[in-house]
Amino acid sequence: MQEILSYKLFNGGGFVFTIGQLALLFILISLLFILYRVLLKKYFPSVFKQTKITDEEKDKLSRLLKGLAILLFILFVFLILQLDPNLPVTGNRFVNLLTVIKAGIFLQAARLFGWLIFNLFIHEQYSDKKANVGVPEDSGEEDSESSITRTLNLVIYSVVLLYVLTSFGWDLTLIERTINGNTFSFNISNIVHAVLIILVARLFVWAFTKIFLRRVYGRRHVELGSQFAINQLVKYVIYVFAIIMALDVFGIKMNILLGGAAALLVGVGLGLQQTFNDFISGLVLLFERSVSVGDILEVDGQIGRIKEIGLRSTTMETRGNINIVVPNHKLVNEKVVNWNHHNDKVRFHIEVGVAYGSDSANVKKILILAIKDNPYVLAYPAPFVRFETFGSSSLDFKLYFFSRNLMVIEDIKSDIRLEIDRLFRENDIEIPFPQRVIKVVR
């Protein structure tokens, strides 16, 4: 049997091809084909039934698997036939062809891994509407599906680039300095490695807050403001550790950095007192939660809903859909009216004056009737009318009611006033206006 397997089918130019090599190559090709068919025809269709994967993504998966299978086949051919040619690059520099093939396999496998992460995790989180109920909405571009997908692709290609730099010996040193016995080197791989750490930190923040914490919030029914505060704190902690790790890649230790910059930090601190005040105020808001995302505030005469609480400033959206950036120290150190901090039922009132001689009991009945069918007025606590005073030219009433629609309350008041005016006209109740009599003495 051994003689048959070692029988030479081809021998020339230092290259030998035996029956054993042919048989091994056939077995490996068969295994690759079987694995491809099992994945594409059995395993992945069962996954597709449980997910919302488009036909375009399915075709992309098929292309990725085919490309990976072809590259693996080429690698097996070179290994079995013991071929290891070198490709000239520049001058006397050569690149090993097997290394190029391995790099291609690594890239294709990384792209396949990225496809799985995108379709089984990222896309599912944004397409499943039920998972988004009761959680804070994504703010801006930072947490959008396209942004996270770009981050994932950058992570994949950064890993591949690191592999290529180390495999081909292309890791060039850009800058190297020795300060106080500490050597700081800036290689291409150092830069890519540092960028990779930041990108992975961003992916980890997204996965931890959007997948793990989201499920915890759903089980424990955590309010939206608390969810946002926890997510922000998690983000800040992870990014701080990521920056420290990225600096460590270049040999920069935090104790050296802080020690060398102590005097500079004192000067910066004196010049940026207000910025640090806002920074500390932002931490107070996130921990104390006296103001939360979703609260409706009145700041400097402006009324708006809190959209985002950052470390330096807070974004508030007014009734006119205008975003106002409020420094955090104003929300901590100054008087702020929070309309719905612990209770979203807020009482409002409308002032009405009627002419002397009107039936006050009937006026009260009409005012309650005018507000009875308004869908934005709460039935409990019930609306009520208060006879305020005998005015100079009218009997003054106040109609009190409760509502949760705080941002559009002026529109609700307008509708109620229109209904009051209509009912007063139907019942011949006059709304007086101030009259002045001018006597001219000659």
Side-chain angles (χ1 to χ4, degrees), residues 191-262:
I191 298 174
V192 177
H193 196 180
V195 171
L196 180 61
I197 290 174
I198 302 299
L199 293 174
V200 170
R202 184 179 180 186
L203 281 181
F204 184 77
V205 167
W206 178 86
F208 190 75
T209 56
K210 300 298 180 183
I211 299 178
F212 175 74
L213 288 182
R214 172 175 288 174
R215 295 175 182 174
V216 175
Y217 298 150
R219 288 196 302 266
R220 298 183 178 273
H221 305 288
V222 181
E223 62 177 3
L224 293 182
S226 300
Q227 294 181 31
F228 183 85
I230 295 172
N231 290 348
Q232 289 293 93
L233 291 175
V234 168
K235 182 189 299 185
Y236 296 145
V237 170
I238 293 176
Y239 277 141
V240 166
F241 278 103
I243 292 173
I244 293 174
M245 293 174 62
L247 292 175
D248 188 64
V249 170
F250 298 104
I252 302 175
K253 305 295 182 182
M254 287 304 296
N255 55 352
I256 298 176
L257 185 65
L258 294 177

Side-chain angles (χ1 to χ4, degrees), residues 35-280:
L35 181 61
Y36 173 78
R37 297 289 293 183
V38 168
L39 288 176
L40 203 60
K41 300 298 182 182
K42 292 185 178 181
Y43 176 73
F44 283 113
S46 63
V47 175
F48 295 157
K49 292 179 181 179
Q50 303 173 5
T51 56
K52 303 173 183 177
I53 299 177
T54 62
D55 293 335
E56 182 181 354
E57 288 297 325
K58 294 177 183 177
D59 294 337
K60 183 178 179 180
L61 173 63
S62 178
R63 293 194 300 269
L64 289 174
L65 287 175
K66 287 179 182 178
L68 183 60
I70 292 171
L71 289 172
L72 287 173
F73 168 71
I74 296 174
L75 178 65
F76 290 152
V77 170
F78 276 81
L79 291 177
I80 292 171
L81 300 181
Q82 298 180 355
L83 299 176
D84 193 14
N86 291 326
L87 298 176
V89 182
T90 54
N92 296 325
R93 297 192 63 183
F94 294 88
V95 175
N96 187 277
L97 185 57
L98 278 179
T99 305
V100 176
I101 297 173
K102 291 177 182 178
I105 293 173
F106 191 79
L107 173 61
Q108 199 72 359
R111 293 179 62 193
L112 179 60
F113 178 75
W115 185 96
L116 294 173
I117 295 297
F118 170 75
N119 287 280
L120 300 183
F121 293 97
I122 296 177
H123 185 64
E124 283 297 302
Q125 292 299 316
Y126 287 97
S127 62
D128 189 358
K129 295 182 180 179
K130 293 181 180 179
N132 294 327
V133 176
V135 297
E137 295 181 357
D138 296 331
S139 56
E141 177 70 12
E142 182 180 356
D143 291 329
S144 66
E145 181 179 356
S146 59
S147 177
I148 296 300
T149 303
R150 286 196 300 270
T151 303
L152 176 63
N153 291 331
L154 287 174
V155 168
I156 291 172
Y157 290 117
S158 296
V159 172
V160 174
L161 181 58
L162 277 177
Y163 176 80
V164 171
L165 290 175
T166 54
S167 299
F168 291 90
W170 292 346
D171 188 15
L172 302 177
T173 300
L174 302 177
I175 302 175
E176 186 172 357
R177 294 287 186 273
T178 301
I179 302 175
N180 296 329
N182 298 297
T183 302
F184 306 98
S185 61
F186 293 84
N187 300 340
I188 297 178
S189 62
N190 293 143
I191 298 174
V192 177
H193 196 180
V195 171
L196 180 61
I197 290 174
I198 302 299
L199 293 174
V200 170
R202 184 179 180 186
L203 281 181
F204 184 77
V205 167
W206 178 86
F208 190 75
T209 56
K210 300 298 180 183
I211 299 178
F212 175 74
L213 288 182
R214 172 175 288 174
R215 295 175 182 174
V216 175
Y217 298 150
R219 288 196 302 266
R220 298 183 178 273
H221 305 288
V222 181
E223 62 177 3
L224 293 182
S226 300
Q227 294 181 31
F228 183 85
I230 295 172
N231 290 348
Q232 289 293 93
L233 291 175
V234 168
K235 182 189 299 185
Y236 296 145
V237 170
I238 293 176
Y239 277 141
V240 166
F241 278 103
I243 292 173
I244 293 174
M245 293 174 62
L247 292 175
D248 188 64
V249 170
F250 298 104
I252 302 175
K253 305 295 182 182
M254 287 304 296
N255 55 352
I256 298 176
L257 185 65
L258 294 177
L264 178 62
L265 289 175
V266 171
V268 171
L270 292 174
L272 300 176
Q273 292 184 49
Q274 192 59 61
T275 301
F276 282 109
N277 186 11
D278 290 331
F279 178 82
I280 300 301

